[in-house]
Amino acid sequence: MPLAASTDAATVDPLAAVVPSSEDAKTAVIDGAAANLANLDINDAPTVVGSLAASIGHSRSSSSAGPIVPCCPAVVAAATTASSTTGDETDGDADNVSANAEAEAGADVIVAKAKSKQGCNAQLVMAGDFEQANHFYPRVLNAQIHPLVSSFFQLGNERIIARYVHLRPNVNQDKLRELLAYKPKHFAWAGSDLFNVTTDQGQHQMIIIETNSCPSGQKSMPLLQDTDECGGYRSVLRSAFGDLLKTAEIDGELAVIYDKNHMEASGYAAAMAEESGEHVWLVEYHDSDQDPPVRWTDRVMEIRDAAGAWHPIRACFRYVTQRPWSRIPLYTRTRVLNPVIACLAGGRNKMMAARAYEMLNAELRPYNMSVRVPLTIYNVVRDEVPLWIDSMGGHAVIKNPYSNAGQGVWTITTKEDLQNFMTLDHRYDKFIVQSLVGNASWSSTTHDGCFYHVGTIPNKKNNIFVCDVRMMIAGASDGFRPISIYARRARLPLIAKLEDDPTATSWGMLGTNLSVKLPDGSWTTESQRLVLMDRKDFNQLGIGIDDLIDAYIQTVLSVIAIDKMCQRLVDDGDKFNYDLFRALNPDDALLSELTL
């Protein structure tokens, strides 16, 4: 079902008075744009111009906004040799348009400088703008979905429940059905990173590493149906965003805001325009921007177009990952997917996520279900870190609770690793310490035993690599559904004992995140380590349909845990319980950043 249109959409002609009626007039507009952009730094070109086709072919706005100026040819030419490479999360999600990805397509790439993220204006996206080559990795375009993965997506929740309970007869089937039918109130779109692990006793299972409120994954997922070129983009918009849009209470337009991962953010914007039949604003919104194209007026989001006019937004899709609470209010009249409370309650806050999982696990204990995670110690000050490392046998993981894209994670396997961490300066006051999932002889030892990686199928050199699995899901009025899956492998193969290769680093063997932050603050992606769910790559993982079902159930449980934490922190009147949040997450550095 198409997305609901604005109440006054039918009365507005978006082309009125903004598209020149003659070729001479169009040329005049372009020449004017060229004059305005004559002093533009070449490195700013990618973030300002976007797509030439979108700028010239769709220079449209509402009658109150004035004309959208097309890009000048000189700037468009510059854009063909430059690329904005802000990394993904995962955030979390953690791969993005990158030098490697562009190189696969045969393009010459220049990494954009961090200073280019200033003073950008909103870009207009129209129905018909969705081009697969712009929103999927080149190798995904020709990939064929693996039959097993396709079968998983066709199961539906009832058959998933039947299979899951058949293998785990002590699980309460009615409770599981209730959980999969759960309608999230705040956290409706998410992605979890999971490890495929086993124990000394051979207990094989999927465990949650973290859950993200702005997950990547669409650009890495082969199409389930060749006839639906929008793929998972459309699925999220029809489910989670579609339900949100029905609750919009103000008049206005639609927007997608982002600070990373232009490939997917623009994909959501183009798919949203297709579904809604309206134009959609695509807005780059950075924490460090001194002249941001987004402002909040009476808690209504407004975005700035290229002519300097401001447009109210009734519903917004958010792909802002870096400290979104520093510039987006906790309560907004504009409907936002996902709202910032989802980030604070666990979607971008590993500290609160750990508490959320504990609370849900206590609730689900009578039904023999739980969110499975490594042992996690939260609210740890730096001086306490060595004590917790010792308690886990000298092997552990330290995390900045609020970072993403592989930043702020330290794997500790030696005294030198710990010493390096202790000498660093840190933005925040508190950390979490988790048990390390490594190989059998060098994983953390806890009261729950020892997890270690199953890893990939051995390659021709008998090397086994760590892989994680990203499971993206969406929740709506009809319950949860899986949206996309991909996997990432580490750079280096696992070794049996750390002393076997003194040059091998634990992060090289365990770190799966694809994003790499460059010295100038920009990002690139090691897309060669991406594992697709296609006929070529999937078999490397050594997982089956029951593992995918387990990953899906674990992801759903983690999202429900965080959504329930959101509800504890926000009352029915959408008032944020600051005192409760401070009690649960006593980190003054974080609290000082909140935009209430």
Side-chain angles (χ1 to χ4, degrees):
M1 178 179 294
L3 298 179
S6 172
T7 55
D8 60 350
T11 65
V12 176
D13 179 4
L15 292 176
V18 299
V19 179
S21 58
S22 68
E23 290 302 315
D24 290 341
K26 292 178 182 178
T27 302
V29 173
I30 294 173
D31 289 344
N36 292 335
L37 296 170
N39 296 321
L40 182 67
D41 188 310
I42 190 70
N43 293 304
D44 294 341
T47 59
V48 175
V49 302
S51 164
L52 174 62
S55 300
I56 296 179
H58 300 301
S59 299
R60 310 175 182 183
S61 177
S62 65
S63 57
S64 64
I68 306 301
V69 180
C71 300
C72 67
V75 174
V76 172
T80 62
T81 60
S83 171
S84 176
T85 56
T86 53
D88 187 353
E89 55 114 0
T90 209
D91 62 143
D93 347 352
D95 48 329
N96 184 38
V97 187
S98 68
N100 291 334
E102 294 281 358
E104 284 187 344
D108 295 324
V109 175
I110 299 174
V111 176
K113 295 181 180 178
K115 70 185 182 76
S116 67
K117 309 301 181 188
Q118 299 290 334
C120 299
N121 292 311
Q123 175 186 343
L124 200 60
V125 180
M126 306 295 293
D129 281 354
F130 193 97
E131 295 289 342
Q132 286 185 319
N134 295 332
H135 311 302
F136 293 93
Y137 279 140
R139 57 186 281 212
V140 175
L141 295 174
N142 298 315
Q144 297 295 314
I145 193 76
H146 193 282
L148 186 148
V149 179
S150 179
S151 297
F152 165 73
F153 278 93
Q154 295 172 16
L155 282 176
N157 283 345
E158 279 303 315
R159 287 202 288 169
I160 284 174
I161 292 168
R163 180 64 177 175
Y164 191 82
V165 173
H166 172 71
L167 296 179
R168 300 166 181 81
N170 61 337
V171 168
N172 185 294
Q173 181 171 325
D174 292 336
K175 186 63 176 180
L176 180 57
R177 181 174 290 106
E178 175 189 322
L179 292 168
L180 292 184
Y182 178 92
K183 184 182 185 303
K185 186 173 181 180
H186 300 281
F187 193 22
W189 167 60
S192 289
D193 298 328
L194 303 104
F195 282 155
N196 185 19
V197 303
T198 189
T199 65
D200 292 333
Q201 291 74 38
Q203 185 181 1
H204 184 185
Q205 57 193 343
M206 289 285 191
I207 62 171
I208 294 282
I209 300 304
E210 63 182 48
T211 298
N212 305 286
S213 54
C214 293
S216 69
Q218 305 290 10
K219 64 181 178 287
S220 308
M221 179 68 183
L223 292 178
L224 294 171
Q225 297 179 345
D226 292 338
T227 55
D228 183 8
E229 66 173 6
C230 294
Y233 292 103
R234 193 189 306 274
S235 298
V236 173
L237 295 172
R238 284 184 172 179
S239 55
F241 190 76
D243 276 12
L244 180 78
L245 194 55
K246 293 174 185 176
T247 68
E249 298 176 348
I250 62 172
D251 292 331
E253 302 169 59
L254 301 176
V256 175
I257 60 174
Y258 72 102
D259 63 356
K260 287 187 173 185
N261 197 0
H262 176 270
M263 183 178 280
E264 290 194 27
S266 59
Y268 283 113
M272 188 184 298
E274 295 277 353
E275 283 293 295
S276 66
E278 302 178 46
H279 62 251
V280 175
W281 294 102
L282 178 63
V283 192
E284 197 166 5
Y285 188 23
H286 291 273
D287 188 24
S288 59
D289 198 337
Q290 300 302 309
D291 184 25
V294 177
R295 71 183 184 188
W296 298 89
T297 303
D298 193 22
R299 299 194 178 270
V300 174
M301 176 187 289
E302 295 180 339
I303 62 92
R304 184 184 62 217
D305 66 21
W310 292 91
H311 302 253
I313 302 299
R314 75 181 190 277
C316 167
F317 189 96
R318 178 180 65 85
Y319 205 106
V320 175
T321 66
Q322 301 295 304
R323 300 192 302 150
W325 47 77
S326 68
R327 55 200 184 280
I328 300 175
L330 283 170
Y331 165 67
T332 65
R333 294 171 62 201
T334 296
R335 292 291 184 257
V336 180
L337 184 75
N338 287 303
V340 170
I341 188 63
C343 299
L344 289 174
R348 290 280 158 190
N349 185 341
K350 302 176 185 72
M351 199 94 73
M352 292 297 290
R355 287 186 175 272
Y357 300 156
E358 286 183 351
M359 293 178 183
L360 184 68
N361 285 349
E363 178 184 331
L364 295 181
R365 192 167 293 117
Y367 306 100
N368 297 306
M369 287 181 283
S370 67
V371 182
R372 297 190 294 267
V373 294
L375 175 64
T376 303
I377 311 299
Y378 44 77
N379 287 332
V380 178
V381 298
R382 181 162 60 177
D383 290 343
E384 293 177 334
V385 167
L387 302 178
W388 289 110
I389 300 291
D390 287 343
S391 73
M392 296 180 185
H395 300 149
V397 180
I398 308 167
K399 294 182 179 180
N400 170 347
Y402 323 114
S403 65
N404 62 357
Q407 306 302 301
V409 179
W410 298 268
T411 52
I412 307 299
T413 56
T414 66
K415 292 182 178 179
E416 289 74 19
D417 291 339
L418 179 57
Q419 183 60 35
N420 290 338
F421 166 81
M422 297 297 291
T423 58
L424 294 174
D425 292 326
H426 300 280
R427 175 190 292 270
Y428 297 106
D429 302 326
K430 301 293 179 67
F431 302 89
I432 64 172
V433 179
Q434 284 186 323
S435 56
L436 178 74
V437 181
N439 213 341
S441 66
W442 51 276
S443 292
S444 295
T445 302
T446 70
H447 56 75
D448 291 327
C450 176
F451 289 132
Y452 65 92
H453 284 281
V454 173
T456 61
I457 298 297
N459 63 14
K460 293 180 179 179
K461 297 181 180 179
N462 286 331
N463 290 327
I464 294 175
F465 291 83
V466 167
C467 261
D468 70 351
V469 174
R470 161 63 59 81
M471 175 72 69
M472 183 193 294
I473 67 171
S477 55
D478 57 350
F480 286 100
R481 71 195 68 198
I483 300 293
S484 68
I485 310 172
Y486 70 91
R488 304 166 296 190
R489 70 166 178 83
R491 294 178 183 87
L492 302 176
L494 279 171
I495 56 177
K497 297 182 179 180
L498 292 173
E499 54 268 26
D500 290 347
D501 184 359
T503 64
T505 63
S506 57
W507 182 251
M509 290 184 284
L510 301 177
T512 58
N513 207 281
L514 303 182
S515 287
V516 178
K517 194 169 187 178
L518 301 178
D520 66 354
S522 60
W523 297 75
T524 187
T525 303
E526 296 180 351
S527 58
Q528 70 273 15
R529 296 191 286 109
L530 175 67
V531 181
L532 303 181
M533 298 297 106
D534 66 351
R535 293 175 180 269
K536 178 178 179 292
D537 286 0
F538 178 75
N539 290 332
Q540 300 175 30
L541 298 177
I543 63 177
I545 197 165
D546 289 319
D547 299 307
L548 294 179
I549 290 173
D550 192 20
Y552 173 57
I553 298 296
Q554 283 296 300
T555 302
V556 168
L557 295 183
S558 70
V559 171
I560 292 174
I562 294 171
D563 188 70
K564 289 191 172 187
M565 178 62 79
C566 291
Q567 295 177 48
R568 292 184 178 98
L569 294 172
V570 178
D571 62 23
D572 292 336
D574 286 324
K575 183 178 180 181
F576 179 62
N577 191 332
Y578 179 87
D579 292 336
L580 176 60
F581 182 76
R582 181 166 190 163
L584 295 173
N585 195 164
D587 191 329
D588 290 337
L590 171 67
L591 294 169
S592 67
E593 295 178 349
L594 301 186
T595 302
L596 300 176

